[in-house]
């Protein structure tokens, strides 16, 4: 999984990788350089996660918005 | 099944109401042979018998109205109402009139014999055919002008006008009638009718005799089309009734059996229709309810909640990431600062601060030591000088003495000196070179 | 029987079919689409039944040998 | 059934699919991406179901409306 | 490790070397000349460490700064 | 050791010799001539020590001064 | 020792001889002649001692003077 590009990861892959990164950072013997690299990776993963969540949220809103609009139209049409 | 429990009064009242509700019981003529006839006061008490069956009868004030020829063994027709006598728990015919019957003994006997014969032939075991519910054609075997036919038409017109009545006219009375009836039945059977009604109004046993004729009975038995008989009144039973597929008490009854009731049919149709509409509405409502329930579940399960949970988790992870890095950097920075302090206060720094002073003080000590030594030695020398001066042998010269030297030797005595010897006189402030001129010895 | 046109059905067929239709609709596993079809059919059958009843008039014929003769039945005449 | 287009599904197919979709959504291990896909599918199925019911309801009303009009005419004709 | 140039050392190498140097400086038998050499080395190591940690801090700030900017843009785009 | 030229001595040698010299001066039986010689030697050693420590101090202070200046600058940069 | 020439004597030899001489002079039975001889010797010894101590003092002063001058120069150089 480590070899997969961040931009190609699914949310879960990305999130798990983020958690792994956190674990790696918590290790006692991590060097400053590794810390920085891990941090940058973490930020990239965070951005990807955030992007995927925002996209998901948007598409859910769209779907729900469409649904509600249609429902209203339907109710008008039906004149119940 | 649970047994229903009731008191005698209640069961008796129930029986009374059942019996009194039936109009037949309330106005009936019963045929039978009189037995046990007796008076008690003005009232007559007797029984009517037929075969092994028996009916108790009472006629109040019988002495005024009963036919005098009536006695045990007389065939009579007694009319009245069947009622329960609650005190004894019996039922009896409360007789209003008695008519002395003809002696049909011969005919009845013939009837009984025929009945037994046909029974033995198995004719009466005939499997009954089903009467179609919605007959398209109804064949009626009857007399064109009879009340029975008119009753049938009237009843069918009222109940079920969707059908066609085919009349097969026949005379129903007289000696020739039996063969005519058989022919009419045969024609009706071939007519394609769904049901055949064999009907005739009421009459005496003789009037109805054609319907007990063997050829008629056997024809009815052989009919392919279902046959409903309606001969005479309720009480009249003829042998055709035994082989009919359905036996009605009257011609009107036969018409009723042959047709469905249109009112009921209409009711059924309306009912079916409204049930279909209701079922449809229900189906739509159910479907709507189902999918609305699904929609609520869909709303509930919508990823919105999942998304906000995940968003929070991601943000938490990110905060942790930042915090961890801050910690790491700060920790390392603090360690580094400590090292900076260690460097600032390292031994070398201490050394360069302390050593010059220590060196200077050492130098100062050396200097002190040196100058002390010298001044001490100078002091001791001064003392030496003083003590040297104190023992200066030339001190007396200060007081005016002089010292005499000859040949650089101190002259302490006149002896050893002679005239003209060169001597030196040493005074405080100089020397005098002199010649001895005279020598005097002390005391001489 | 299912294939016969409603307009050609006899009352009996029509009536029975109506009952059958109701029974079919009341089955547990009937689908919405089937329900609608059954409903339409039911309505058509209902109309046909009603029509047949409303337009019915009793025909009385006397059969004389091979002849069928229409009889006039006057209720007043009958009127016992 | 999975391969059938939503627009070609019958109400029952659609409804069962919707229920299956809901069940799938309830599973604990569904990923965000799956969740979104399932949700979209669910909404589409719901819309189809609603459409089919509305159509059914409409055609029932039409049929009954026609019937009523006819009945009135009939009653007028009959002059009851 | 002793032979590695200070400018090529990682933070941890540098830091450990610094600690070693500090220990060496405090030894009783160290000469003044050695002391001075150790001191200079110590300071050089300290400066390297400081430089590395400052660079790290800076690059983290950059990454975070970029992230914040991006997030703002995203939120604007999203029109929340 | 006694034979080494003062100018070639290390700080520690020099310092120790100085101490020895001072101790020798304190002895009771030292003659004036010896005293003078010891004193002269002590002065020479002192001068050498002073020279060495002053050089050391100079270079340490330079290094420290530079470092502290840098620290101030850094702290300004960091804006902590 | 008695035979050593005064001019060759060290300060301590000279000083001790002087002390001996003075002790001899203080004896009661010393003759004037002896006294004169001792006195002359004492004076010679004293003079030698005085010369030696004055020389020593001078050379210490010289050394210290040089040192001070040097130190001042150093301190000027140091620019304290």
């Amino acid at each position: 999984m480590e070899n997969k590009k961040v931009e190609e990861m699914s949310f879960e892959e990305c999130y798990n990788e983020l958690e792994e990164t956190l674990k790696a950072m918590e290790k006692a013997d991590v060097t400053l350089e590794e810390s920085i690299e891990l941090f940058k990776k973490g930020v990239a993963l965070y951005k990807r996660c955030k992007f995927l969540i925002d996209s998901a949220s948007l598409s859910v809103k769209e779907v729900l918005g469409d649904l509600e609009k249609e429902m209203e139209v339907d109710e008008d049409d039906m004149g119940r | 099944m649970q047994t229903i429990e009731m008191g005698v009064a209640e069961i008796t009242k129930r029986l009374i109401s059942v019996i009194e509700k039936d109009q037949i019981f309330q106005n009936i003529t019963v045929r039978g042979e009189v037995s046990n006839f007796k008076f008690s006061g003005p009232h007559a008490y007797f029984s009517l018998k037929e075969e092994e069956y028996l009916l108790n009868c009472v006629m109040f004030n019988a002495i005024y109205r009963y036919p005098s020829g009536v006695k045990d063994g007389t065939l009579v027709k007694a009319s009245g109402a069947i009622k329960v006598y609650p005190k004894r728990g019996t039922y009896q015919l409360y007789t209003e009139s008695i008519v002395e019957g003809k002696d049909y003994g011969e005919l009845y006997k013939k009837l009984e014999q025929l009945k037994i014969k046909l029974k033995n032939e198995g004719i009466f075991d005939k499997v009954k055919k089903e009467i179609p519910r919605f007959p398209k054609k109804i064949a009626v075997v009857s007399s064109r002008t009879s009340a029975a036919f008119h009753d049938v038409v009237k009843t069918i017109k009222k109940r079920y006008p969707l059908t066609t009545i085919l009349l097969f006219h026949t005379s129903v009375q007289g000696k020739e009638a039996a063969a005519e009836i058989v022919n009419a039945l045969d024609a009706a059977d071939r007519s394609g009718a769904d049901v055949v009604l064999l009907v005739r109004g009421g009459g005496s046993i003789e009037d109805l005799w054609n319907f007990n004729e063997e050829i008629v009975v056997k024809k009815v038995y052989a009919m392919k089309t279902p046959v409903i008989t309606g001969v005479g009144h309720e009480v009249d039973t003829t042998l055709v009734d035994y082989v009919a597929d359905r036996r009605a008490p009257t011609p009107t009854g036969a018409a009723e059996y042959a047709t469905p009731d249109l009112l009921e049919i209409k009711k059924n149709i309306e009912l079916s229709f409204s049930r279909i509409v209701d079922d449809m509405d229900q189906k739509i409502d159910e479907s709507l309810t189902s999918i609305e329930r699904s929609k609520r579940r869909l709303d509930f399960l919508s990823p919105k909640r999942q998304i906000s949970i995940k968003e929070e988790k991601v943000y938490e992870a990110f905060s942790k990431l930042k915090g961890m890095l801050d910690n790491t950097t700060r920790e390392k920075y603090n360690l580094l600062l400590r090292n900076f302090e260690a460097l600032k206060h390292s031994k070398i720094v201490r050394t360069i601060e302390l050593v010059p002073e220590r060196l200077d003080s050492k130098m100062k000590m050396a200097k002190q030591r040196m100058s002390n030594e010298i001044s001490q030695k100078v002091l001791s020398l001064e003392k030496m000088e003083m003590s040297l001066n104190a023992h200066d042998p030339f001190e007396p010269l200060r007081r005016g003495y002089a010292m005499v030297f000859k040949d650089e030797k101190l002259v302490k005595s006149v002896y050893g000196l002679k005239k003209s010897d060169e001597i030196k006189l040493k005074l405080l402030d100089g020397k005098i070179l002199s010649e001895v001129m005279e020598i005097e010895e002390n005391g001489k």
Side-chain angles (χ1 to χ4, degrees), chain A, chain B:
Chain A
M1 197 190 267
E2 306 275 331
N3 301 332
K4 208 169 181 181
K5 279 187 192 167
V6 170
E7 310 88 66
E8 288 168 5
M9 281 182 185
S10 73
F11 177 81
E12 271 71 21
E13 285 169 349
C14 209
Y15 181 76
N16 290 337
E17 192 75 8
L18 182 55
E19 296 257 294
E20 289 304 314
T21 304
L22 282 173
K23 260 186 233 160
M25 278 186 88
E26 270 169 2
K27 279 183 193 155
D29 61 349
V30 71
T31 68
L32 182 65
E33 284 77 9
E34 285 165 353
S35 266
I36 302 289
E37 282 319 300
L38 288 169
F39 177 72
K40 285 180 180 171
K41 188 177 176 189
V43 167
L45 290 165
Y46 167 70
K47 276 160 73 174
R48 172 79 181 154
C49 280
K50 191 85 171 66
F51 170 77
L52 289 172
I53 276 181
D54 289 345
S55 304
S57 182
L58 197 66
S59 77
V60 167
K61 272 180 193 160
E62 271 176 19
V63 168
L64 278 180
D66 284 359
L67 186 63
E68 257 159 51
K69 246 182 277 171
E70 239 174 274
M71 290 292 116
E72 280 170 26
V73 172
D74 280 1
E75 282 181 22
D76 289 351
D77 280 0
M78 300 303 246
R80 276 216 193 176
Chain B
M1 205 206 271
Q2 208 188 328
T3 310
I4 295 166
E5 184 184 312
M6 43 179 85
V8 173
E10 196 180 349
I11 185 67
T12 307
K13 279 175 196 163
R14 207 177 166 86
L15 280 168
I16 292 169
S17 89
V18 167
I19 287 167
E20 287 182 354
K21 220 185 261 166
D22 193 330
Q23 287 307 310
I24 291 173
F25 290 142
Q26 299 315 306
N27 181 17
I28 195 156
T29 301
V30 182
R31 211 172 45 230
E33 184 189 324
V34 176
S35 67
N36 300 324
F37 190 93
K38 64 182 181 202
F39 277 100
S40 173
H43 316 311
Y45 295 89
F46 58 98
S47 305
L48 288 179
K49 257 169 61 179
E50 186 179 49
E51 297 166 22
E52 64 268 40
Y53 303 101
L54 186 135
L55 175 68
N56 290 320
C57 303
V58 59
M59 187 179 208
F60 297 117
N61 299 317
I63 36 174
Y64 308 114
R65 48 184 176 150
Y66 100 98
S68 53
V70 172
K71 53 182 192 290
D72 283 1
T74 316
L75 278 173
V76 295
K77 286 181 180 177
S79 300
I82 304 271
K83 282 183 181 169
V84 171
Y85 183 46
K87 284 180 186 170
R88 285 225 190 108
T90 57
Y91 65 92
Q92 43 196 349
L93 180 71
Y94 287 78
T95 312
E96 294 299 328
S97 64
I98 299 176
V99 179
E100 198 174 336
K102 289 183 188 160
D103 186 5
Y104 292 125
E106 213 40 46
L107 275 177
Y108 279 116
K109 213 170 162 187
K110 203 172 154 194
L111 182 61
E112 280 309 306
Q113 284 166 355
L114 186 56
K115 200 172 170 184
I116 288 160
K117 182 188 171 226
L118 291 173
K119 199 177 178 180
N120 289 340
E121 284 175 18
I123 298 286
F124 297 157
D125 301 333
K126 178 188 154 176
V127 177
K128 310 276 184 194
K129 287 193 273 293
E130 202 168 315
I131 314 297
R133 199 172 165 207
F134 300 99
K136 290 187 199 66
K137 285 182 191 166
I138 300 173
V140 182
V141 174
S142 190
S143 161
R144 191 183 294 125
T145 54
S146 67
F149 175 61
H150 285 170
D151 285 351
V152 165
V153 170
K154 191 178 165 193
T155 305
I156 290 179
K157 182 168 184 157
K158 194 178 77 192
R159 279 175 68 90
Y160 191 66
L162 284 98
T163 193
T164 300
I165 295 174
L166 300 178
L167 170 67
F168 293 86
H169 173 76
T170 176
S171 54
V172 290
Q173 224 170 316
K175 288 213 165 165
E176 311 304 321
E180 234 181 285
I181 290 170
V182 170
N183 285 338
L185 280 172
D186 189 56
D189 203 17
R190 284 183 284 104
S191 69
D194 299 300
V195 64
V196 176
L197 305 189
L198 180 59
V199 294
R200 194 218 183 276
S204 66
I205 186 168
E206 288 165 304
D207 295 340
L208 301 180
W209 189 252
N210 283 308
F211 296 90
N212 289 324
E213 290 284 5
E214 188 174 349
I215 51 161
V216 176
V217 174
K218 284 197 165 163
K219 181 63 201 170
V220 171
Y221 174 80
M223 290 283 280
K224 293 191 178 70
T225 311
V227 177
I228 302 174
T229 53
V231 177
H233 293 300
E234 284 90 339
V235 291
D236 300 321
T237 303
T238 52
L239 290 183
V240 286
D241 290 333
Y242 293 100
V243 289
D245 295 291
R246 182 106 200 244
R247 185 228 156 178
T250 58
T252 301
E256 282 170 357
Y257 287 159
T259 51
D261 183 359
L262 195 63
L263 281 177
E264 212 169 288
I265 293 287
K266 273 179 160 174
K267 239 190 275 168
N268 283 345
I269 290 169
E270 292 297 336
L271 197 67
S272 294
F273 172 69
S274 68
R275 268 172 74 182
I276 284 173
V277 172
D278 287 351
D279 286 349
M280 192 65 226
D281 280 351
Q282 203 183 330
K283 184 79 191 171
I284 285 172
D285 281 353
E286 270 170 16
S287 302
L288 210 56
T289 308
S290 299
I291 69 155
E292 286 313 315
R293 204 176 43 225
S294 298
K295 175 153 187 285
R296 280 197 297 278
R297 263 175 82 198
L298 193 64
D299 280 345
F300 178 74
L301 289 169
S302 97
K304 264 202 226 159
R305 220 163 39 110
Q306 200 192 355
I307 285 171
S308 68
I309 289 169
K310 288 198 163 143
E311 190 170 22
E312 218 164 281
K313 266 166 88 181
V314 166
Y315 188 72
E316 241 169 59
F318 175 64
S319 304
K320 225 168 129 192
L321 187 73
K322 264 205 312 199
M324 238 143 55
L325 188 74
D326 282 353
N327 279 351
T328 309
T329 332
R330 196 175 309 130
E331 229 169 71
K332 296 207 193 256
Y333 193 78
N334 286 343
L335 284 173
L336 203 57
L337 268 185
R338 217 177 55 199
N339 284 343
F340 176 62
E341 290 302 313
L343 268 177
K344 261 190 2 191
H345 300 102
S346 62
K347 194 170 149 195
I348 177 71
V349 176
R350 295 197 306 272
T351 304
I352 62 166
E353 275 169 6
L354 295 178
V355 166
E357 224 172 277
R358 214 181 290 158
L359 272 177
D360 282 350
S361 84
K362 281 200 192 327
M363 192 61 224
K364 207 169 152 194
M365 262 166 64
K367 258 162 52 179
Q368 191 70 46
R369 167 93 199 142
M370 202 63 233
S371 71
N372 280 353
E373 193 179 348
I374 288 171
S375 54
Q376 203 184 325
K377 288 204 154 89
V378 168
L379 204 69
S380 347
L381 266 184
E382 270 168 15
K383 262 193 235 156
M384 292 286 196
E385 191 191 8
M386 268 164 63
S387 116
L388 197 62
N389 284 339
H391 293 91
D392 188 351
F394 301 107
E395 180 63 31
L397 298 186
R398 293 184 186 275
R399 283 180 275 147
Y401 290 98
M403 277 181 181
V404 180
F405 293 91
K406 187 184 177 233
D407 299 333
E408 294 299 317
K409 277 196 177 158
L410 184 70
V411 179
K412 292 195 284 190
S413 165
V414 289
Y415 301 100
L417 282 182
K418 57 195 196 269
K419 202 168 165 189
S420 300
D421 277 352
E422 261 182 31
I423 56 168
K424 232 191 255 180
L425 293 180
K426 188 174 169 66
L427 298 172
L428 181 68
D429 54 353
K431 281 179 225 171
I432 301 171
L433 223 74
S434 6
E435 238 179 55
V436 177
M437 291 172 59
E438 203 186 301
I439 297 167
E440 271 178 41
E441 221 176 307
N442 280 352
K444 280 185 188 171

